[in-house]
């Protein structure tokens, strides 16, 4: 089943945009009410569908990783008002889309493999949604909008009730300026007693939501925050040290984890590589270096791609620099950044000899 799913998906992946358009056209035809769950502009939603499918296909033979991801996704979809009948329509539309573009690769056995796989996925999502008695989303009021640079802002919010996230997880957010355009962002702080959440948000080229947040968010705005997702975390009892690799605002969940670890007297050693193109991209470096000064278990290594005159930093891409230091076989590895940065870094680390089962990253990281 795994082989047939991967081989057939490899056939349709080069035409992913057409697949996504056909899928949503079919879905809205089968279940017209679902159209109201999505924004008018579907461009980002289509790319997100592909990323989710790629992530699922990559993990289809790793149920210990896939099932928790699907259960989180099921809980998250409660915010849209998804009910069981919608899963039937999604399954029908998904198989129809893959069949249309798979051509001769689509056989009765391949269809059965996809149908069985989707049944398992849908059941996991439905069961998780049904078992969750918490809110589908939280309201949160913007307390502060701090413009760090022309394209970067720090946003602090006060939820109406505590959001039960773990340091390192991410949540979906909806802003009043961009209704129905949900985006995923990682809190940059560990959970606090007062419940305040901090986000580091960079304006992405063509990003409707990120550009609106950086340029137009004001104190008093009320956001909606979806259920926590993600698997970035540090197991303090594993006996293994930790490697963190963060590009740009991908440093936010690493900051949250370090913030939480700093509350303990003893911790595994943490080696953090944080990268960007220029010095301005290392906006959180001073804060993390202050952590390192008072927590000897933490080492922070800044990395720059396009600033050869900078001192006190490593030069090159994160993939170059991290693997230059070694294979890190004995470490738990956390990676966060843009999809291209994650792909490049994970690929290079695997070639260098880092075990795949030691590497953790999350799929939804870009506007």
């Amino acid at each position: 089943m795994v082989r047939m799913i991967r081989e057939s998906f490899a056939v349709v992946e080069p035409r992913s945009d057409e697949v996504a358009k056909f899928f949503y056209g079919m879905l809205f035809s089968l279940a017209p009410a679902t159209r109201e769950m999505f924004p008018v502009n579907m461009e980002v939603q289509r790319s997100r569908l592909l990323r989710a499918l790629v992530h699922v296909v990559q993990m289809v033979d790793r149920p210990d990783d896939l099932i928790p991801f699907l259960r989180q996704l099921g809980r998250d979809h409660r915010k849209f008002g998804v009910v069981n009948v919608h899963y039937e329509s999604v399954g029908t539309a998904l198989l129809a889309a893959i069949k249309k573009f798979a051509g001769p690769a689509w056989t009765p056995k391949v269809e059965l493999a996809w149908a069985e796989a989707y049944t398992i996925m849908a059941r996991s999502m439905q069961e998780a949604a049904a078992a969750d008695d918490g809110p589908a989303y939280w309201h949160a009021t913007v307390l502060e909008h701090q413009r760090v640079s022309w394209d970067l802002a720090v946003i602090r919010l006060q939820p109406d009730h505590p959001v039960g996230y773990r340091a390192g997880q991410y949540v979906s957010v909806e802003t009043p300026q961009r209704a129905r355009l949900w985006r995923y962002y990682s809190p940059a702080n560990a959970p606090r007693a007062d419940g305040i959440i901090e986000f580091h948000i960079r304006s992405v080229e063509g990003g409707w939501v990120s550009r609106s947040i950086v340029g137009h968010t004001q104190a008093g705005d009320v956001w909606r925050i979806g259920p926590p997702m993600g698997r970035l975390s540090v197991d303090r009892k594993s006996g293994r040290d930790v490697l963190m690799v963060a590009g740009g605002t991908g440093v936010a969940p690493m900051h949250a984890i370090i913030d939480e670890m700093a509350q303990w007297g003893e911790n595994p050693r943490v080696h953090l590589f944080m990268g960007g193109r220029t010095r301005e991209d290392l906006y959180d470096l001073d804060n993390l270096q202050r952590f390192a000064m008072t927590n000897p278990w933490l080492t922070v290594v800044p990395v720059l791609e396009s600033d050869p005159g900078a001192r006190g930093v490593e030069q090159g891409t994160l993939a170059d620099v991290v693997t230059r230091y070694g294979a890190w076989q004995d470490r738990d590895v956390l990676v966060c950044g843009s999809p291209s940065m994650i792909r490049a870094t994970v690929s290079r680390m695997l070639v260098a000899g880092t075990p795949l089962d030691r590497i953790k990253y999350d799929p939804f990281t870009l506007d």
Side-chain angles (χ1 to χ4, degrees):
M1 183 177 78
V2 171
R3 178 183 57 80
M4 287 189 287
I5 287 173
R6 285 183 170 159
E7 289 178 354
S8 56
F9 186 75
V11 173
V12 305
E13 190 173 5
R15 302 178 67 182
S16 57
D17 192 54
E18 295 173 87
V19 173
K21 287 180 180 178
F22 185 90
F23 164 79
Y24 280 110
M26 176 69 75
L27 175 62
F28 298 153
S29 175
L30 293 170
T34 61
R35 185 63 185 90
E36 294 301 313
M37 300 176 182
F38 298 95
V40 174
N41 187 316
M42 292 289 293
E43 183 178 351
V44 172
Q45 188 64 38
R46 286 195 292 268
S47 67
R48 183 172 294 155
L49 169 68
L50 174 65
R51 291 210 305 278
L53 280 174
V54 169
H55 195 67
V56 168
V57 169
Q58 288 173 339
M59 295 196 300
V60 72
D61 59 346
R62 292 154 48 197
D64 290 345
D65 292 328
L66 178 58
I67 297 303
F69 169 73
L70 292 171
R71 292 184 65 83
Q72 289 182 343
L73 210 57
R75 289 190 290 269
D76 183 58
H77 275 58
R78 293 168 60 232
K79 67 177 185 270
F80 296 118
V82 171
V83 294
N84 287 349
V85 68
H86 294 146
Y87 284 95
E88 298 175 16
S89 300
V90 168
T92 301
L94 177 62
L95 267 64
I98 296 172
K99 177 180 180 179
K100 179 176 176 62
F101 294 95
W106 189 263
T107 67
K109 288 185 178 180
V110 170
E111 182 171 8
L112 180 61
W114 274 99
E116 290 179 352
Y118 180 76
T119 299
I120 294 170
M121 291 187 287
R123 185 183 301 126
S124 297
M125 294 176 66
Q126 290 171 295
E127 289 175 352
D132 191 342
D133 56 3
Y137 55 81
W138 291 259
H139 289 102
T141 303
V142 175
L143 300 179
E144 183 181 1
H145 173 272
Q146 178 187 354
R147 195 75 174 261
V148 177
S149 65
W150 70 272
D151 67 342
L152 179 69
V154 173
I155 314 294
R156 296 182 180 88
L157 300 103
Q158 178 71 69
D160 54 2
H161 295 94
V163 179
Y165 70 95
R166 299 190 311 271
Q169 287 191 301
Y170 59 95
V171 297
S172 55
V173 304
E174 180 197 46
T175 69
Q177 291 86 1
R178 293 290 185 265
R180 292 190 293 175
L181 288 171
W182 290 84
R183 294 295 183 268
Y184 293 105
Y185 295 111
S186 296
N189 61 296
R192 294 170 34 165
D194 60 11
I196 291 175
I197 300 177
E198 177 179 304
F199 293 104
H200 299 171
I201 299 178
R202 188 179 298 279
S203 176
V204 177
E205 184 177 355
W208 285 31
V209 175
S210 62
R211 293 177 70 178
S212 173
I213 291 174
V214 172
H216 304 295
T217 291
Q218 301 180 31
D221 286 352
V222 177
W223 292 14
R224 290 201 293 173
I225 298 179
M229 300 177 66
R231 61 194 193 116
L232 293 185
S233 63
V234 168
D235 182 356
R236 297 179 57 257
K237 299 179 181 179
S238 71
R240 293 186 296 271
D241 292 329
V242 180
L243 170 66
M244 296 181 175
V245 187
T249 53
V251 76
M254 310 302 186
H255 188 136
I257 293 171
I258 291 168
D259 181 25
E260 183 173 71
M261 293 176 70
Q263 301 172 23
W264 299 86
E266 295 184 6
N267 282 300
R269 289 181 300 158
V270 175
H271 214 111
L272 167 64
F273 290 85
M274 55 182 300
R277 290 184 299 275
T278 65
R279 191 81 187 210
E280 190 177 59
D281 293 331
L282 305 182
Y283 68 94
D284 204 30
L285 178 59
D286 290 345
N287 293 328
L288 289 164
Q289 286 179 330
R290 281 193 286 271
F291 268 116
M293 290 175 63
T294 55
N295 296 279
W297 45 266
L298 175 62
T299 301
V300 178
V301 180
V303 178
L304 293 180
E305 291 183 36
S306 308
D307 199 347
R311 296 184 178 182
V313 302
E314 293 280 1
Q315 298 289 341
T317 66
L318 280 164
D320 291 334
V321 174
V322 169
T323 53
R324 193 186 305 158
Y325 273 65
W328 307 94
Q329 296 104 321
D330 58 343
R331 300 267 183 145
D332 287 333
V333 181
L334 310 181
V335 184
C336 190
S338 69
S340 59
M341 171 265 171
I342 292 174
R343 283 194 298 270
T345 302
V346 172
S347 297
R348 288 286 295 277
M349 293 193 74
L350 293 175
V351 171
T354 310
L356 176 61
D357 61 358
R358 291 287 178 83
I359 302 175
K360 291 182 181 179
Y361 61 92
D362 286 320
F364 301 118
T365 53
L366 190 66
D367 191 314

